């Protein structure tokens, strides 16, 4: 599999200051599901400016429940969960692209800095 078979899931609210950098780092992924829960700034406009973004909107029902709901809306079985102020480095992108994603019983974790 490749990055084209991975959904990145980000829940957001009023993230205009960081979202563009995050989304730019994810342009090689098949889908970036951005779940907006009530932004009043330019977050929605920024999300819509990226071709691979699937924008969904709904209410915030708690961090874990909202993240789980957003993940359930993802197009692909393999998901990467990020926050709107995180960006994927080239090294991480290449590492994910090289993973064997053919075992549904496997999970991966990444070290965040």
């Amino acid at each position: 599999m490749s990055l084209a078979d991975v959904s990145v899931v980000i829940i957001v609210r009023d993230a205009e200051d960081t979202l563009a950098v995050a989304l730019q780092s994810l342009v090689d992924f098949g889908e970036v599901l951005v779940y907006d829960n009530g932004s009043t700034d330019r977050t929605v406009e920024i999300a819509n400016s990226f071709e691979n973004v699937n924008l969904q909107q709904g209410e915030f029902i708690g961090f874990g429940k909202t993240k789980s709901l957003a993940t359930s809306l993802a197009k692909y079985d393999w998901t990467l969960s990020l926050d709107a102020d995180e960006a994927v480095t080239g090294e991480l992108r290449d590492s994910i692209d090289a993973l064997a994603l053919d075992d549904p019983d496997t999970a991966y974790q990444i070290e965040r800095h």
Side-chain angles (χ1 to χ4, degrees), residues 13-54:
R13 181 171 181 168
D14 295 331
E16 72 178 358
D17 292 340
T18 60
L19 186 60
V21 172
L23 295 178
Q24 185 61 47
S25 77
L26 302 170
V27 296
D28 295 325
F29 286 81
E31 175 190 46
V32 181
L33 189 133
V34 174
Y35 186 91
D36 180 77
N37 47 76
S39 290
T40 58
D41 64 0
R42 294 181 49 248
T43 296
V44 169
E45 177 185 338
I46 292 166
N48 281 327
S49 72
F50 286 83
E51 191 173 306
N52 64 335
V53 167
N54 172 6

Side-chain angles (χ1 to χ4, degrees), residues 8-12 15 18-19 21-23 25-26 63 67 80-88 112:
V8 181
V9 178
I10 303 173
I11 62 173
V12 297
T18 60
L19 186 60
V21 172
L23 295 178
S25 77
L26 302 170
F63 184 79
K67 188 66 94 163
L80 171 62
S81 178
L82 293 179
D83 291 335
D85 63 351
E86 296 178 311
V88 170
R112 288 177 154 84

